[in-house]
Protein backbone atom coordinates (compact mmCIF):
# COMPACT_ATOMS: atom_id res chain seq x y z
CA UNK A 1 0.00 0.00 0.00
CA UNK A 2 1.32 3.41 -0.95
CA UNK A 3 1.57 6.01 1.76
CA UNK A 4 -1.77 7.78 1.84
CA UNK A 5 -3.97 9.78 4.21
CA UNK A 6 -7.70 9.53 4.81
CA UNK A 7 -10.35 11.33 6.84
CA UNK A 8 -13.11 9.42 8.61
CA UNK A 9 -16.32 11.23 9.55
CA UNK A 10 -17.48 9.48 12.73
CA UNK A 11 -21.15 9.68 13.65
CA UNK A 12 -21.39 6.32 15.44
CA UNK A 13 -18.72 5.38 17.92
CA UNK A 14 -20.04 1.82 18.13
CA UNK A 15 -19.06 1.33 14.45
CA UNK A 16 -15.47 2.49 15.03
CA UNK A 17 -13.82 -0.94 15.05
CA UNK A 18 -15.66 -2.04 11.93
CA UNK A 19 -14.83 1.26 10.20
CA UNK A 20 -11.13 1.18 11.02
CA UNK A 21 -10.72 -2.41 9.89
CA UNK A 22 -12.39 -1.52 6.59
CA UNK A 23 -10.22 1.57 6.10
CA UNK A 24 -6.76 0.30 7.12
CA UNK A 25 -6.16 -1.35 3.74
CA UNK A 26 -6.53 2.02 2.00
CA UNK A 27 -4.54 4.43 4.19
CA UNK A 28 -1.80 4.47 6.81
CA UNK A 29 -2.64 7.88 8.28
CA UNK A 30 -6.17 8.87 9.29
CA UNK A 31 -7.85 12.02 10.56
CA UNK A 32 -10.99 11.56 12.67
CA UNK A 33 -13.71 14.20 12.19
CA UNK A 34 -16.35 13.78 14.91
CA UNK A 35 -19.72 14.73 13.45
CA UNK A 36 -20.96 16.44 16.60
CA UNK A 37 -23.30 18.75 14.68
CA UNK A 38 -25.19 15.68 13.53
CA UNK A 39 -25.49 14.48 17.13
CA UNK A 40 -27.26 17.55 18.52
CA UNK A 41 -30.51 19.20 17.52
CA UNK A 42 -30.30 22.19 15.23
CA UNK A 43 -31.79 24.38 17.98
CA UNK A 44 -29.34 23.24 20.70
CA UNK A 45 -26.18 25.25 21.24
CA UNK A 46 -22.94 23.48 20.32
CA UNK A 47 -21.50 22.17 23.62
CA UNK A 48 -18.02 23.30 24.72
CA UNK A 49 -15.13 21.06 23.55
CA UNK A 50 -14.32 19.44 26.95
CA UNK A 51 -17.59 17.44 26.88
CA UNK A 52 -16.01 15.32 24.13
CA UNK A 53 -12.89 14.54 26.17
CA UNK A 54 -14.03 11.12 27.35
CA UNK A 55 -15.09 10.18 23.81
CA UNK A 56 -11.72 11.20 22.36
CA UNK A 57 -9.81 9.18 24.98
CA UNK A 58 -12.07 6.17 24.36
CA UNK A 59 -11.58 6.48 20.61
CA UNK A 60 -7.79 6.58 20.82
CA UNK A 61 -7.60 3.79 23.41
CA UNK A 62 -9.97 1.49 21.51
CA UNK A 63 -8.32 2.10 18.13
CA UNK A 64 -5.18 0.19 19.14
CA UNK A 65 -7.22 -2.92 19.92
CA UNK A 66 -8.94 -2.67 16.52
CA UNK A 67 -5.95 -2.06 14.24
CA UNK A 68 -2.89 -2.02 16.54
CA UNK A 69 -0.54 0.86 15.81
CA UNK A 70 -0.71 0.47 12.06
CA UNK A 71 -2.75 3.65 11.57
CA UNK A 72 -1.52 7.06 12.64
CA UNK A 73 -4.80 8.43 14.04
CA UNK A 74 -5.43 12.11 14.76
CA UNK A 75 -8.74 13.31 16.20
CA UNK A 76 -9.49 16.83 14.97
CA UNK A 77 -10.38 19.31 17.70
CA UNK A 78 -11.00 22.48 15.66
CA UNK A 79 -14.37 21.19 14.29
CA UNK A 80 -15.54 20.65 17.90
CA UNK A 81 -15.36 24.34 18.77
CA UNK A 82 -18.54 26.46 18.82
CA UNK A 83 -18.74 28.52 15.66
CA UNK A 84 -16.38 26.19 13.78
CA UNK A 85 -18.07 26.70 10.44
CA UNK A 86 -15.04 27.90 8.51
CA UNK A 87 -13.07 25.96 5.95
CA UNK A 88 -11.17 23.00 7.37
CA UNK A 89 -7.42 23.21 6.78
CA UNK A 90 -5.07 20.28 7.42
CA UNK A 91 -1.29 20.02 7.21
CA UNK A 92 -1.31 16.78 5.25
CA UNK A 93 -3.11 16.37 1.92
CA UNK A 94 -6.05 13.97 2.26
CA UNK A 95 -6.61 11.36 -0.45
CA UNK A 96 -9.95 9.84 0.60
CA UNK A 97 -12.93 10.67 2.81
CA UNK A 98 -14.85 7.90 4.57
CA UNK A 99 -18.03 8.23 6.57
CA UNK A 100 -19.70 5.72 8.91
CA UNK A 101 -23.12 7.28 8.20
CA UNK A 102 -24.85 8.87 5.21
CA UNK A 103 -24.15 12.59 5.58
CA UNK A 104 -23.39 13.68 2.00
CA UNK A 105 -23.67 17.44 2.64
CA UNK A 106 -20.99 17.42 5.35
CA UNK A 107 -18.76 15.11 3.31
CA UNK A 108 -19.14 17.23 0.16
CA UNK A 109 -18.19 20.35 2.15
CA UNK A 110 -15.12 18.57 3.50
CA UNK A 111 -14.19 17.40 0.00
CA UNK A 112 -14.40 20.99 -1.22
CA UNK A 113 -12.37 22.29 1.75
CA UNK A 114 -9.65 19.70 1.21
CA UNK A 115 -9.75 19.73 -2.60
CA UNK A 116 -10.55 16.01 -2.92
CA UNK A 117 -11.81 14.83 -6.30
CA UNK A 118 -12.56 11.22 -5.36
CA UNK A 119 -16.09 10.52 -4.09
CA UNK A 120 -16.76 9.85 -0.41
CA UNK A 121 -16.77 6.19 0.62
CA UNK A 122 -19.89 5.67 2.77
CA UNK A 123 -19.41 2.69 5.03
CA UNK A 124 -23.05 2.70 6.24
CA UNK A 125 -26.36 3.99 4.83
CA UNK A 126 -27.82 5.08 8.18
CA UNK A 127 -28.07 8.76 9.14
CA UNK A 128 -28.39 8.01 12.87
CA UNK A 129 -25.69 9.30 15.25
CA UNK A 130 -24.87 8.06 18.74
CA UNK A 131 -22.34 10.77 19.63
CA UNK A 132 -24.85 12.83 21.61
CA UNK A 133 -24.98 10.10 24.23
CA UNK A 134 -21.19 10.23 24.56
CA UNK A 135 -21.02 13.72 26.04
CA UNK A 136 -19.21 13.69 29.37
CA UNK A 137 -21.23 15.44 32.07
CA UNK A 138 -19.00 14.21 34.92
CA UNK A 139 -16.46 17.01 34.38
CA UNK A 140 -17.14 20.77 34.31
CA UNK A 141 -17.05 21.78 30.62
CA UNK A 142 -14.84 24.77 31.35
CA UNK A 143 -12.27 26.16 28.92
CA UNK A 144 -9.32 28.33 29.90
CA UNK A 145 -7.34 31.06 28.12
CA UNK A 146 -3.95 29.55 29.00
CA UNK A 147 -3.25 25.88 29.69
CA UNK A 148 0.13 24.28 30.42
CA UNK A 149 1.53 20.74 30.46
CA UNK A 150 4.94 19.11 30.23
CA UNK A 151 6.70 15.88 29.39
CA UNK A 152 9.41 14.18 27.36
CA UNK A 153 7.18 13.50 24.34
CA UNK A 154 9.59 11.10 22.66
CA UNK A 155 7.97 9.65 19.53
CA UNK A 156 4.31 10.61 19.91
CA UNK A 157 2.14 7.60 20.82
CA UNK A 158 -1.55 7.26 21.66
CA UNK A 159 -0.96 8.10 25.33
CA UNK A 160 0.60 11.39 24.24
CA UNK A 161 -2.26 11.99 21.82
CA UNK A 162 -4.82 11.62 24.61
CA UNK A 163 -2.78 13.81 26.98
CA UNK A 164 -2.24 16.56 24.42
CA UNK A 165 -5.79 16.47 23.04
CA UNK A 166 -7.31 16.78 26.51
CA UNK A 167 -5.21 19.92 27.00
CA UNK A 168 -6.23 21.32 23.61
CA UNK A 169 -9.92 20.67 24.35
CA UNK A 170 -9.63 22.78 27.51
CA UNK A 171 -7.80 25.67 25.88
CA UNK A 172 -9.48 28.53 24.08
CA UNK A 173 -6.42 30.69 23.39
CA UNK A 174 -2.92 29.52 24.36
CA UNK A 175 -1.29 26.16 25.11
CA UNK A 176 2.17 26.11 26.71
CA UNK A 177 4.13 22.84 26.50
CA UNK A 178 7.39 22.21 28.34
CA UNK A 179 9.59 19.54 26.75
CA UNK A 180 12.35 18.02 28.88
CA UNK A 181 15.94 18.30 27.70
CA UNK A 182 18.63 15.63 28.13
CA UNK A 183 19.36 17.12 31.57
CA UNK A 184 16.04 15.60 32.74
CA UNK A 185 15.93 12.35 30.78
CA UNK A 186 19.08 10.54 31.98
CA UNK A 187 17.11 8.37 34.40
CA UNK A 188 14.67 7.13 31.76
CA UNK A 189 14.80 3.73 30.08
CA UNK A 190 17.26 3.75 27.14
CA UNK A 191 17.88 7.51 27.41
CA UNK A 192 20.39 7.47 24.54
CA UNK A 193 17.58 6.48 22.16
CA UNK A 194 15.48 9.56 23.02
CA UNK A 195 15.20 11.94 20.08
CA UNK A 196 16.92 15.34 20.35
CA UNK A 197 14.73 17.94 22.07
CA UNK A 198 14.59 20.04 18.88
CA UNK A 199 13.11 17.14 16.93
CA UNK A 200 10.62 16.31 19.70
CA UNK A 201 9.47 19.95 19.77
CA UNK A 202 9.08 20.01 15.98
CA UNK A 203 6.98 16.81 16.01
CA UNK A 204 4.84 18.15 18.85
CA UNK A 205 4.17 21.40 17.02
CA UNK A 206 3.24 19.52 13.86
CA UNK A 207 0.77 17.30 15.75
CA UNK A 208 -0.84 20.16 17.68
CA UNK A 209 -1.18 22.42 14.63
CA UNK A 210 -2.69 19.47 12.80
CA UNK A 211 -5.48 18.74 15.30
CA UNK A 212 -6.28 22.40 15.97
CA UNK A 213 -4.60 25.27 14.13
CA UNK A 214 -6.72 27.90 15.88
CA UNK A 215 -4.66 28.05 19.08
CA UNK A 216 -1.40 29.77 19.99
CA UNK A 217 1.26 27.18 20.85
CA UNK A 218 4.34 27.92 22.93
CA UNK A 219 6.54 24.82 23.03
CA UNK A 220 9.72 25.32 25.01
CA UNK A 221 12.62 23.15 26.26
CA UNK A 222 12.81 22.80 30.05
CA UNK A 223 15.76 21.84 32.23
CA UNK A 224 13.79 21.48 35.47
CA UNK A 225 10.34 20.14 36.46
CA UNK A 226 8.71 23.58 36.60
CA UNK A 227 9.69 25.36 33.39
CA UNK A 228 7.45 28.32 32.53
CA UNK A 229 5.02 27.60 35.38
CA UNK A 230 7.38 29.25 37.87
CA UNK A 231 7.41 32.61 36.03
CA UNK A 232 4.31 32.90 33.81
CA UNK A 233 1.53 34.81 35.64
CA UNK A 234 -1.09 34.22 32.94
CA UNK A 235 -1.43 30.45 33.19
CA UNK A 236 -4.82 29.08 34.33
CA UNK A 237 -4.80 25.26 34.18
CA UNK A 238 -2.17 22.53 34.30
CA UNK A 239 -2.92 19.12 32.77
CA UNK A 240 -1.20 16.17 34.44
CA UNK A 241 -1.45 12.39 34.47
CA UNK A 242 -2.42 10.40 37.54
CA UNK A 243 1.30 9.50 37.77
CA UNK A 244 2.45 13.15 37.80
CA UNK A 245 -0.31 14.65 39.99
CA UNK A 246 2.16 15.30 42.80
CA UNK A 247 4.27 17.27 40.32
CA UNK A 248 1.26 19.45 39.50
CA UNK A 249 0.69 20.10 43.18
CA UNK A 250 4.37 20.97 43.58
CA UNK A 251 4.01 23.51 40.75
CA UNK A 252 1.34 25.29 42.78
CA UNK A 253 3.55 25.29 45.86
CA UNK A 254 6.29 26.99 43.85
CA UNK A 255 3.84 29.49 42.32
CA UNK A 256 2.37 30.29 45.72
CA UNK A 257 5.85 30.94 47.12
CA UNK A 258 6.43 33.38 44.27
CA UNK A 259 3.05 35.11 44.73
CA UNK A 260 1.72 33.72 41.46
CA UNK A 261 -1.88 32.56 41.11
CA UNK A 262 -2.26 28.82 41.71
CA UNK A 263 -3.35 26.74 38.74
CA UNK A 264 -6.38 24.53 38.49
CA UNK A 265 -5.32 20.91 37.95
CA UNK A 266 -6.89 18.50 35.47
CA UNK A 267 -5.86 14.85 35.88
CA UNK A 268 -5.88 12.30 33.07
CA UNK A 269 -5.85 8.55 33.70
CA UNK A 270 -2.92 6.54 32.33
CA UNK A 271 -3.50 4.32 29.29
CA UNK A 272 -2.64 0.73 30.11
CA UNK A 273 -0.25 -1.20 27.88
CA UNK A 274 -1.41 -4.53 26.46
CA UNK A 275 2.10 -6.02 26.87
CA UNK A 276 2.77 -7.58 30.27
CA UNK A 277 6.20 -9.21 30.15
CA UNK A 278 7.96 -7.64 33.12
CA UNK A 279 10.15 -5.63 30.73
CA UNK A 280 7.75 -3.15 29.19
CA UNK A 281 6.04 -0.60 31.44
CA UNK A 282 2.41 -1.34 32.34
CA UNK A 283 1.31 1.97 30.81
CA UNK A 284 1.57 3.07 27.19
CA UNK A 285 4.85 5.00 27.20
CA UNK A 286 7.78 6.25 25.15
CA UNK A 287 9.99 3.87 27.15
CA UNK A 288 8.03 0.97 25.64
CA UNK A 289 8.43 2.50 22.18
CA UNK A 290 12.20 2.68 22.65
CA UNK A 291 12.33 -0.89 23.96
CA UNK A 292 10.49 -1.98 20.81
CA UNK A 293 13.17 -0.32 18.66
CA UNK A 294 15.82 -2.76 19.93
CA UNK A 295 16.84 -5.24 17.26
CA UNK A 296 15.12 -3.22 14.53
CA UNK A 297 16.44 -0.95 11.81
CA UNK A 298 17.54 2.18 13.70
CA UNK A 299 19.13 3.84 10.66
CA UNK A 300 19.60 2.84 7.04
CA UNK A 301 23.20 1.78 6.26
CA UNK A 302 25.29 4.12 4.14
CA UNK A 303 26.41 2.71 0.76
CA UNK A 304 29.82 1.01 0.89
CA UNK A 305 30.71 0.63 -2.82
CA UNK A 306 34.37 -0.10 -1.94
CA UNK A 307 33.34 -3.31 -0.12
CA UNK A 308 32.50 -6.53 -2.01
CA UNK A 309 28.81 -7.43 -1.42
CA UNK A 310 29.79 -10.83 -0.02
CA UNK A 311 30.46 -11.45 2.73
CA UNK A 312 28.18 -8.80 4.18
CA UNK A 313 30.23 -7.39 7.05
CA UNK A 314 28.55 -6.24 10.25
CA UNK A 315 30.65 -4.44 12.83
CA UNK A 316 29.45 -5.52 16.27
CA UNK A 317 30.53 -3.13 19.01
CA UNK A 318 29.61 -1.73 22.39
CA UNK A 319 31.10 -0.67 25.69
CA UNK A 320 32.84 -2.88 28.20
CA UNK A 321 30.55 -5.50 29.81
CA UNK A 322 27.71 -4.69 27.41
CA UNK A 323 27.30 -8.28 26.20
CA UNK A 324 29.06 -8.08 22.80
CA UNK A 325 30.62 -11.54 22.95
CA UNK A 326 27.36 -13.21 23.91
CA UNK A 327 25.59 -11.41 21.05
CA UNK A 328 28.35 -12.60 18.72
CA UNK A 329 27.65 -16.17 19.87
CA UNK A 330 23.93 -15.71 19.24
CA UNK A 331 24.54 -14.46 15.70
CA UNK A 332 27.02 -17.28 15.07
CA UNK A 333 24.32 -19.77 16.06
CA UNK A 334 22.05 -18.18 13.45
CA UNK A 335 24.63 -18.67 10.70
CA UNK A 336 27.07 -15.74 10.83
CA UNK A 337 30.84 -16.18 10.70
CA UNK A 338 32.34 -14.27 13.64
CA UNK A 339 35.78 -12.64 13.74
CA UNK A 340 36.45 -11.76 17.38
CA UNK A 341 38.96 -8.88 17.32
CA UNK A 342 39.81 -9.44 20.96
CA UNK A 343 41.02 -12.94 20.09
CA UNK A 344 42.83 -11.61 17.02
CA UNK A 345 44.51 -9.05 19.30
CA UNK A 346 45.75 -11.89 21.52
CA UNK A 347 47.42 -13.35 18.42
CA UNK A 348 49.18 -10.11 17.49
CA UNK A 349 50.38 -9.76 21.13
CA UNK A 350 52.23 -13.09 20.85
CA UNK A 351 56.06 -13.19 21.01
CA UNK A 352 57.57 -12.79 17.56
CA UNK A 353 54.82 -10.48 16.34
CA UNK A 354 55.57 -6.84 15.46
CA UNK A 355 53.15 -5.64 18.15
CA UNK A 356 54.86 -7.67 20.86
CA UNK A 357 58.24 -6.10 20.30
CA UNK A 358 56.93 -2.54 20.10
CA UNK A 359 54.67 -2.90 23.18
CA UNK A 360 57.51 -4.28 25.32
CA UNK A 361 59.85 -1.56 24.08
CA UNK A 362 57.32 1.13 25.04
CA UNK A 363 55.98 -0.21 28.34
CA UNK A 364 59.02 -2.12 29.59
CA UNK A 365 59.71 -5.73 30.52
CA UNK A 366 57.63 -5.39 33.68
CA UNK A 367 54.52 -6.31 31.65
CA UNK A 368 56.05 -9.62 30.50
CA UNK A 369 55.03 -12.76 32.42
CA UNK A 370 57.29 -15.71 33.30
CA UNK A 371 56.32 -17.56 30.11
CA UNK A 372 57.52 -14.63 27.97
CA UNK A 373 54.04 -13.44 26.98
CA UNK A 374 52.55 -10.01 27.63
CA UNK A 375 50.53 -10.10 30.85
CA UNK A 376 47.43 -8.05 30.10
CA UNK A 377 46.56 -7.83 33.80
CA UNK A 378 49.80 -5.85 34.25
CA UNK A 379 49.39 -3.81 31.07
CA UNK A 380 45.74 -2.89 31.81
CA UNK A 381 46.29 -0.69 34.90
CA UNK A 382 49.02 1.27 33.07
CA UNK A 383 46.87 2.24 30.11
CA UNK A 384 43.50 2.67 31.81
CA UNK A 385 45.04 5.06 34.35
CA UNK A 386 46.68 7.27 31.70
CA UNK A 387 44.89 8.33 28.47
CA UNK A 388 48.24 9.08 26.79
CA UNK A 389 49.51 5.58 27.46
CA UNK A 390 46.24 4.11 26.17
CA UNK A 391 46.61 6.19 23.02
CA UNK A 392 50.17 4.92 22.61
CA UNK A 393 49.05 1.30 22.94
CA UNK A 394 46.24 1.81 20.45
CA UNK A 395 48.68 3.39 17.99
CA UNK A 396 50.79 0.23 18.14
CA UNK A 397 48.02 -2.37 18.10
CA UNK A 398 45.20 -1.01 15.92
CA UNK A 399 47.05 -0.89 12.55
CA UNK A 400 48.33 -4.44 13.00
CA UNK A 401 44.95 -5.64 14.22
CA UNK A 402 42.94 -4.33 11.25
CA UNK A 403 45.64 -5.61 8.85
CA UNK A 404 45.26 -9.11 10.34
CA UNK A 405 41.44 -8.85 10.15
CA UNK A 406 41.65 -7.88 6.48
CA UNK A 407 43.97 -10.84 5.82
CA UNK A 408 41.37 -13.15 7.37
CA UNK A 409 38.59 -11.56 5.33
CA UNK A 410 40.63 -12.08 2.13
CA UNK A 411 40.96 -15.78 3.03
CA UNK A 412 37.18 -16.04 3.52
CA UNK A 413 36.53 -14.29 0.18
CA UNK A 414 38.86 -16.73 -1.61
CA UNK A 415 36.92 -19.77 -0.41
CA UNK A 416 34.53 -21.58 -2.70
CA UNK A 417 31.72 -21.14 -0.18
CA UNK A 418 32.03 -17.53 0.93
CA UNK A 419 30.10 -16.83 4.15
CA UNK A 420 27.01 -14.72 3.58
CA UNK A 421 27.46 -12.64 6.75
CA UNK A 422 30.59 -11.91 8.78
CA UNK A 423 30.35 -10.35 12.22
CA UNK A 424 33.40 -8.24 13.06
CA UNK A 425 33.21 -8.09 16.85
CA UNK A 426 35.35 -5.19 18.05
CA UNK A 427 35.07 -3.03 21.14
CA UNK A 428 37.34 -0.46 19.43
CA UNK A 429 35.41 -0.44 16.13
CA UNK A 430 34.20 3.17 16.33
CA UNK A 431 37.19 4.67 18.14
CA UNK A 432 39.53 3.09 15.59
CA UNK A 433 37.38 4.31 12.69
CA UNK A 434 36.78 0.80 11.35
CA UNK A 435 33.08 1.33 10.62
CA UNK A 436 34.05 2.11 7.00
CA UNK A 437 35.37 -1.47 6.79
CA UNK A 438 31.82 -2.72 7.48
CA UNK A 439 28.55 -2.58 5.58
CA UNK A 440 26.80 -1.57 8.78
CA UNK A 441 27.24 -1.33 12.56
CA UNK A 442 25.27 -3.22 15.21
CA UNK A 443 25.86 -2.26 18.82
CA UNK A 444 25.23 -3.31 22.39
CA UNK A 445 24.45 -0.77 25.11
CA UNK A 446 23.72 -1.03 28.83
CA UNK A 447 23.28 1.74 31.42
CA UNK A 448 26.65 2.93 32.83
CA UNK A 449 25.73 1.82 36.34
CA UNK A 450 24.97 -1.68 35.06
CA UNK A 451 28.29 -1.78 33.19
CA UNK A 452 30.16 -0.80 36.38
CA UNK A 453 28.35 -3.50 38.35
CA UNK A 454 29.27 -6.14 35.77
CA UNK A 455 32.93 -5.02 35.60
CA UNK A 456 33.26 -5.24 39.39
CA UNK A 457 31.67 -8.70 39.42
CA UNK A 458 33.47 -10.09 36.35
CA UNK A 459 36.92 -8.49 36.62
CA UNK A 460 37.08 -8.35 40.45
CA UNK A 461 37.95 -4.65 40.32
CA UNK A 462 37.12 -1.87 42.75
CA UNK A 463 34.35 0.56 41.83
CA UNK A 464 36.96 3.27 41.15
CA UNK A 465 38.90 0.99 38.79
CA UNK A 466 35.65 -0.05 37.06
CA UNK A 467 34.71 3.61 36.58
CA UNK A 468 38.14 4.26 34.99
CA UNK A 469 37.64 1.37 32.58
CA UNK A 470 34.22 2.70 31.64
CA UNK A 471 35.50 6.28 31.22
CA UNK A 472 37.97 5.05 28.59
CA UNK A 473 35.12 3.70 26.44
CA UNK A 474 33.09 5.33 23.69
CA UNK A 475 29.94 6.74 25.41
CA UNK A 476 26.58 5.16 24.61
CA UNK A 477 25.36 8.35 22.92
CA UNK A 478 28.21 8.20 20.38
CA UNK A 479 27.67 4.47 19.83
CA UNK A 480 23.96 5.04 19.13
CA UNK A 481 24.72 7.91 16.73
CA UNK A 482 26.84 5.62 14.54
CA UNK A 483 24.77 2.42 14.77
CA UNK A 484 22.25 0.92 12.39
CA UNK A 485 20.84 -1.68 14.80
CA UNK A 486 20.92 -1.39 18.60
CA UNK A 487 20.61 -4.10 21.25
CA UNK A 488 20.53 -3.88 25.03
CA UNK A 489 21.28 -6.74 27.40
CA UNK A 490 20.06 -4.94 30.53
CA UNK A 491 17.11 -7.33 30.80
CA UNK A 492 17.00 -11.14 30.81
CA UNK A 493 18.77 -13.45 28.34
CA UNK A 494 15.51 -14.42 26.66
CA UNK A 495 14.67 -10.83 25.77
CA UNK A 496 18.16 -10.21 24.37
CA UNK A 497 17.75 -13.39 22.29
CA UNK A 498 14.48 -12.02 20.88
CA UNK A 499 16.29 -8.83 19.86
CA UNK A 500 18.96 -10.89 18.06
CA UNK A 501 16.35 -13.01 16.26
CA UNK A 502 14.46 -9.92 15.17
CA UNK A 503 17.59 -8.32 13.72
CA UNK A 504 18.71 -11.52 11.98
CA UNK A 505 15.29 -12.03 10.43
CA UNK A 506 15.30 -8.43 9.16
CA UNK A 507 18.83 -8.76 7.74
CA UNK A 508 18.06 -12.06 6.02
CA UNK A 509 14.98 -10.56 4.40
CA UNK A 510 16.94 -7.52 3.20
CA UNK A 511 19.81 -9.61 1.79
CA UNK A 512 17.34 -11.95 0.05
CA UNK A 513 15.65 -8.94 -1.56
CA UNK A 514 18.99 -7.42 -2.60
CA UNK A 515 20.22 -10.65 -4.19
CA UNK A 516 16.92 -11.26 -6.00
CA UNK A 517 17.15 -7.78 -7.55
CA UNK A 518 20.63 -8.38 -9.02
Amino acid sequence: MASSTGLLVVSNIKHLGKSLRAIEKYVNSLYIHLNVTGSTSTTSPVPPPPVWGRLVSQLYANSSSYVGNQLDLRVLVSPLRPGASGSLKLRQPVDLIFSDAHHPELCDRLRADLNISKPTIFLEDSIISDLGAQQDDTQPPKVYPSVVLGGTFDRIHLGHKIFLTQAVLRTCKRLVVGVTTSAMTKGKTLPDLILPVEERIARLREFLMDIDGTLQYEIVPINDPFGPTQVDPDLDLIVVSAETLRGGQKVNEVRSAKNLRELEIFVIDMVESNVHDGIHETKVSSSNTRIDLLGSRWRRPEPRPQLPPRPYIIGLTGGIASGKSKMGERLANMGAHVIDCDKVAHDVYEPGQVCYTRIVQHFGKGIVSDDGRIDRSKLGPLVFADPKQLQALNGIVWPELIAEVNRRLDVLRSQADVPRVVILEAAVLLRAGWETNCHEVWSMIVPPEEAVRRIIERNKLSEEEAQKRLASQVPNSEIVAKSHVIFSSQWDHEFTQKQAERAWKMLTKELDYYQSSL
Side-chain angles (χ1 to χ4, degrees), residues 254-270:
V254 171
R255 287 178 69 87
S256 180
K258 294 189 174 190
N259 295 318
L260 294 172
R261 176 167 45 93
E262 291 191 14
L263 307 178
E264 291 191 42
I265 300 176
F266 181 77
V267 184
I268 296 172
D269 290 331
M270 307 302 295

Side-chain angles (χ1 to χ4, degrees), residues 47-83:
V51 305
W52 305 112
R54 184 174 60 187
L55 174 62
V56 170
S57 294
Q58 177 189 349
L59 192 153
Y60 272 127
N62 289 350
S63 67
S64 64
S65 62
Y66 297 140
V67 290
N69 297 314
Q70 303 307 309
L71 277 177
D72 176 16
L73 288 182
R74 300 187 174 194
V75 180
L76 299 173
V77 174
S78 50
L80 304 179
R81 299 196 180 279

Side-chain angles (χ1 to χ4, degrees), residues 260-331:
L260 294 172
R261 176 167 45 93
E262 291 191 14
L263 307 178
E264 291 191 42
I265 300 176
F266 181 77
V267 184
I268 296 172
D269 290 331
M270 307 302 295
V271 181
E272 289 191 14
S273 168
N274 54 13
V275 179
H276 305 284
D277 58 2
I279 292 168
H280 291 74
E281 293 184 354
T282 55
K283 62 175 182 176
V284 171
S285 69
S286 295
S287 294
N288 288 349
T289 303
R290 291 191 295 278
I291 290 170
D292 289 340
L293 289 171
L294 297 172
S296 69
R297 177 63 72 205
W298 174 252
R299 284 192 306 127
R300 299 300 308 173
E302 301 80 4
R304 295 278 188 247
Q306 81 279 13
L307 295 178
R310 186 160 183 154
Y312 191 83
I313 303 171
I314 294 172
L316 176 62
T317 192
I320 187 170
S322 61
K324 293 182 300 297
S325 297
K326 185 62 180 175
M327 180 56 71
E329 290 176 17
R330 288 185 170 97
L331 297 172

Side-chain angles (χ1 to χ4, degrees), residues 3-42:
S3 177
S4 57
T5 301
L7 183 147
L8 171 63
V9 177
V10 173
S11 302
N12 294 282
I13 194 67
K14 65 178 179 289
H15 292 163
L16 181 65
K18 180 180 177 183
S19 299
L20 293 179
R21 284 189 284 267
I23 289 170
E24 66 174 332
K25 58 177 174 281
Y26 296 105
V27 299
N28 49 20
S29 180
L30 185 68
Y31 291 108
I32 300 290
H33 186 295
L34 295 172
N35 181 21
V36 296
T37 55
S39 67
T40 57
S41 71
T42 54

Side-chain angles (χ1 to χ4, degrees), residues 148-149 163 238-245 247-248 265-269:
V148 65
L149 73 163
F163 190 36
I238 185 168
V239 178
V240 299
S241 68
E243 185 182 50
T244 59
L245 172 58
I265 300 176
F266 181 77
V267 184
I268 296 172
D269 290 331

Side-chain angles (χ1 to χ4, degrees), residues 5 9 99 118 158 193 198 328:
T5 301
V9 177
S99 178
K118 294 176 182 175
L158 71 87
L193 272 59
E198 298 82 6

